[in-house]
Amino acid sequence: MLELAVFDMAGTTVDDHGLVYVALQQAVEETGVTVAADDLQRWMGTDKVTAIDALIRLGGVEPAEGLAERQFERFKVILAELYERQPPQPIGGAVETLRELRSRGVKVVLTTGFDAAVATPLLRSLGWAVAGTPDAAAAAVVVDAVVTTDDVPAGRPHPYLIFRAMERTGVADVRAVLSAGDTAVDVRAAHNSGALAIGVLSGGAPREILEREPYDYLLDSVADVVDLPELSPTPEAQAPTRSAAPTTSPRSAGVFDPQTIPDNDYLLLTPGPLSTTKTVRAALLKDWCTWDEDYKALTRDVRNGLVALTGSDDYTAVLMQGSGTFAVESLLGSVLGPDDKVLILANGAYGRRMTTIADMLRLPHTTIDFPDTAVVDVDRVGAALDADPAITHVAMVHCETTTGLLNPLAEVCRIAQAHGKRLLIDAMSSFGGVEIDAAGWGIDFLVSSSNKCIQGVPGFGFVLARQSEMERCRGFARSHALDLYDQWETMERGRGKWRFTSPTHVVHAFAQALAELRDEGGVRSRSARYTANQATLVEGMAANDIRTVIAPEHQSPIITAFHYPVGEFDFATFYRDLKDSGFVIYPGKLTELDTFRVGTIGDVHPGDMRRLTDAVARHRTW
Ligand SMILES: *Cc1c(COP(=O)(O)O)cnc(C)c1O
């Protein structure tokens, strides 16, 4: 349970109309240099003498002795004038949050990168006061202490403001402390102190900037702090997922306090199974019955939730027990009629796996093999379709997890449709993480699984099929257990009934994962997060002289293949060192090249990628 909440002032609890920013800019620019907005943003939360000194240097001038100090005095005068013209206001929800926390027995301390000469008038103009002082009786907000840069040997990102707050309130254990702020250095200082590090977006710092920091939560505003699970008054309280708004999950929330779910020993940077949220894992902790209305309703919800992700009512969803490959085999084996023939486009292990399945099932098929590091060539597809009119279906992997390349799905769909062919897409590792316009592009069947971008745990695959196409497949199956049509018909007629034992725990966790995908803002937001993860990863690896295999224009945000670095490098040692540091990466799957892979999907964030590449730098041998 948390005992102390530390809040930054300007931008976090107090809206000073950005005047600190303006005053800082003016104080620096008075010296004749020009300040870049990015630099200003980066130095905002730091103590102001240091910030002024750094900004003058960034402006290309070596500050004379005492200049930064003199400009700091100017800064205070400019700020006081600006405040008089436009008095600061509490940020929406801040007053209520600070009061609520204190009423729950949590101590509240305000910290700031200003000195007391700035902070004191600021507080007075707000009508806020420190407990035990004469102003406290009539104050709008009472806090337990205010800590300014005069009180510490160094400002943020050093953690001392937070330590001083602990000292002032007699809190002994940093694990009982949260610290919230709106700038990158606020988050960094909180992380450095060991407190729960919370970034808030109310101060105007772009989300991408804060996302690069090692935060525990990113919240829209301080008002969301009271909903953190760490502050839950009861175990029944609903739990938010990390970095998202509090989730309102229909099912597993309210069952277990996610805080009781053990942390993972390491982050899985493998493209499924992947790192899941505690709230998803919480859903696994009960045994659930299957043969009743509740479970069938759950299955219906999951199927409807999947169809909703296609954005089109033309589709129907079928769930199939087993790993993703079982669903691929079920699809290929169930949708080709006796006179059908499939053209398989292969540029990686998963494309070739479809050929293996077609061989084993003795399906009429042709495969075009492309190099693993090149995307499918649409012209060759068109030529193959022109040359062989017996072909009725085209099958392709969207994101080839072998390398992380993204095949040109829209273009392949267009050429297949122009030839009147049906489309089978293995979107196993992309569905939910990359936007796919299934109806617009004319995809007839799309297959994926529970443990990829929906961020569930392994146990079943699913096929999204055009309703009319599914109906056509009656009696086509080459396998009883993997009969997709029969499973679909059972789910339709039985209103959510599975054939054979269903992976109940997994389905419950998946329903939670689908709710969390919606709460994150849907596929678009998730895709943006994965893209930010991947960009942070590639940048950090490049800084360690590790290069990507796939050209950036064909690279997916899902998984990235890297060449072994040049020089002394042993993958087994590298893997073990990273695992000891809390990261599990993936060996390569290319026969021609020495590569390894890093997945950027799951409950992972740009801050995690930053920590990974920091660990890479620590273990560097090349
Ligand atoms: C994960 C994956 C599969 C299925 O693999 P399983 O190990 O059977 O779950 C199929 N295709 C692609 C592209 C994948 O990424």
Side-chain angles (χ1 to χ4, degrees):
M1 199 47 205
L2 288 168
E3 294 171 42
L4 169 62
V6 178
F7 293 100
D8 168 59
M9 292 171 69
T12 304
T13 48
V14 181
D15 179 5
D16 78 333
H17 314 296
L19 294 179
V20 175
Y21 188 95
V22 175
L24 184 62
Q25 183 173 18
Q26 281 187 19
V28 175
E29 293 194 338
E30 276 181 0
T31 68
V33 305
T34 306
V35 180
D38 265 11
D39 293 334
L40 202 52
Q41 182 63 49
R42 200 145 43 82
W43 285 94
M44 267 289 289
T46 325
D47 86 86
K48 296 295 175 285
V49 178
T50 310
I52 291 168
D53 184 73
L55 289 167
I56 294 174
R57 284 172 202 279
L58 284 168
V61 172
E62 177 74 21
E65 179 74 28
L67 179 62
E69 288 74 10
R70 280 199 303 284
Q71 290 315 112
F72 177 54
E73 294 308 316
R74 281 290 302 145
F75 162 79
K76 285 190 278 186
V77 172
I78 297 165
L79 184 65
E81 285 167 7
L82 291 169
Y83 276 172
E84 198 148 324
R85 265 185 269 151
Q86 213 181 344
Q89 303 287 328
I91 280 191
V95 170
E96 296 74 13
T97 301
L98 302 188
R99 285 190 191 142
E100 168 73 17
L101 289 172
R102 285 192 94 234
S103 79
R104 290 196 202 167
V106 177
K107 302 219 167 60
V108 171
V109 173
L110 298 174
T111 60
T112 167
F114 314 150
D115 68 357
V118 180
T120 310
L122 176 59
L123 285 173
R124 193 158 300 143
S125 86
L126 286 163
W128 294 9
V130 177
T133 61
D135 291 344
V141 168
V142 175
V143 297
D144 293 280
V146 175
V147 181
T148 72
T149 49
D150 316 74
D151 300 320
V152 291
R156 304 166 183 136
H158 292 277
Y160 308 129
L161 289 167
I162 297 164
F163 293 156
R164 194 53 37 90
M166 292 173 67
E167 200 179 311
R168 295 271 175 87
T169 51
V171 171
D173 185 348
V174 75
R175 284 165 297 190
V177 180
L178 74 78
S179 182
D182 65 302
T183 63
V185 283
D186 292 341
V187 176
R188 183 61 61 152
H191 173 78
N192 290 346
S193 76
L196 195 69
I198 297 169
V200 296
L201 298 165
S202 52
R207 178 180 270 276
E208 311 84 78
I209 299 265
L210 294 186
E211 268 181 350
R212 286 192 211 124
E213 299 302 321
Y215 62 81
D216 293 301
Y217 294 95
L218 273 191
L219 304 175
D220 286 335
S221 87
V222 276
D224 298 327
V225 166
V226 291
D227 296 325
L228 294 179
E230 286 81 358
L231 281 162
S232 296
T234 60
E236 288 75 35
Q238 291 192 336
T241 55
R242 215 176 68 152
S243 85
T247 63
T248 47
S249 149
R251 295 175 196 281
S252 80
V255 177
F256 299 102
D257 174 3
Q259 289 315 108
T260 64
I261 305 297
D263 284 325
N264 283 320
D265 295 337
Y266 37 69
L267 214 53
L268 284 177
L269 301 177
T270 51
L274 36 64
S275 294
T276 56
T277 61
K278 287 192 175 187
T279 32
V280 164
R281 280 178 275 137
L284 299 168
L285 293 186
K286 275 196 180 176
D287 301 318
W288 309 89
C289 65
T290 51
W291 298 100
D292 71 1
E293 194 41 45
D294 290 351
Y295 187 68
K296 289 200 283 184
L298 179 74
T299 301
R300 287 202 297 275
D301 286 352
V302 164
R303 294 182 63 211
N304 291 337
L306 288 171
V307 170
L309 290 178
T310 68
S312 165
D313 289 341
D314 290 351
Y315 289 86
T316 180
V318 204
L319 316 180
M320 179 58 76
Q321 295 94 329
S323 86
T325 305
F326 290 61
V328 174
E329 183 156 331
S330 167
L331 175 67
L332 286 169
S334 303
V335 307
L336 294 177
D339 301 324
D340 291 340
K341 175 173 181 180
V342 60
L343 171 67
I344 298 169
L345 310 175
N347 57 344
Y350 295 98
R352 288 192 288 275
R353 190 175 291 176
M354 291 204 278
T355 303
T356 306
I357 291 169
D359 282 338
M360 298 282 297
L361 295 179
R362 299 178 177 84
L363 298 172
H365 67 280
T366 331
T367 296
I368 313 182
D369 278 306
F370 299 89
D372 282 6
T373 51
V375 293
V376 162
D377 175 349
V378 180
D379 292 340
R380 280 186 66 193
V381 177
L385 293 177
D386 287 337
D388 186 354
I391 292 168
T392 52
H393 292 67
V394 176
M396 184 181 77
V397 175
H398 182 207
C399 170
E400 236 318 337
T401 319
T402 311
T403 53
L405 71 69
L406 211 49
N407 274 317
L409 183 53
E411 286 79 359
V412 170
C413 288
R414 202 171 305 129
I415 196 106
Q417 268 201 316
H419 285 78
K421 310 302 177 193
R422 296 187 169 92
L423 275 156
L424 315 179
I425 302 301
D426 172 351
M428 197 73 62
S429 60
S430 56
F431 184 72
V434 175
E435 288 187 273
I436 297 174
D437 181 7
W441 296 343
I443 297 171
D444 297 292
F445 297 94
L446 178 155
V447 56
S448 183
S449 78
S450 57
N451 59 288
K452 304 259 173 154
C453 296
I454 311 288
Q455 296 185 186
V457 301
F460 68 90
F462 54 86
V463 172
L464 285 157
R466 244 184 233 288
Q467 179 91 22
S468 54
E469 286 302 316
M470 197 70 240
E471 283 162 5
R472 167 184 181 264
C473 299
R474 182 187 195 121
F476 288 174
R478 279 89 174 159
S479 155
H480 176 45
L482 295 178
D483 185 339
L484 192 70
Y485 180 88
D486 198 30
Q487 180 88 329
W488 175 69
E489 200 192 30
T490 305
M491 288 189 167
E492 286 285 297
R493 284 229 200 119
R495 304 186 68 251
K497 189 163 147 354
W498 293 62
R499 300 176 317 153
F500 322 134
T501 301
S502 84
T504 46
H505 301 70
V506 177
V507 176
H508 276 272
F510 191 76
Q512 172 68 22
L514 273 175
E516 291 178 14
L517 173 57
R518 286 191 289 269
D519 289 339
E520 187 172 345
V523 176
R524 179 165 303 180
S525 303
R526 181 156 293 182
S527 174
R529 173 165 61 87
Y530 290 170
T531 301
N533 286 347
Q534 203 267 344
T536 310
L537 170 71
V538 169
E539 190 187 312
M541 286 296 195
N544 283 297
D545 300 321
I546 298 179
R547 292 178 304 112
T548 57
V549 172
I550 297 299
E553 63 271 26
H554 300 309
Q555 172 67 53
S556 72
I558 306 298
I559 181 168
T560 306
F562 293 97
H563 293 286
Y564 282 5
V566 179
E568 172 133 356
F569 179 78
D570 172 49
F571 179 74
T573 311
F574 183 64
Y575 175 90
R576 205 190 46 235
D577 287 344
L578 289 183
K579 188 171 175 196
D580 290 344
S581 301
F583 304 97
V584 170
I585 62 166
Y586 223 41
K589 214 174 187 163
L590 291 170
T591 42
E592 307 283 298
L593 292 169
D594 279 335
T595 58
F596 66 88
R597 293 175 292 167
V598 181
T600 37
I601 60 177
D603 183 31
V604 299
H605 304 262
D608 297 316
M609 295 297 126
R610 176 66 64 85
R611 285 200 291 285
L612 166 72
T613 54
D614 285 352
V616 168
R618 282 200 302 282
H619 296 299
R620 184 167 176 167
T621 52
W622 53 98

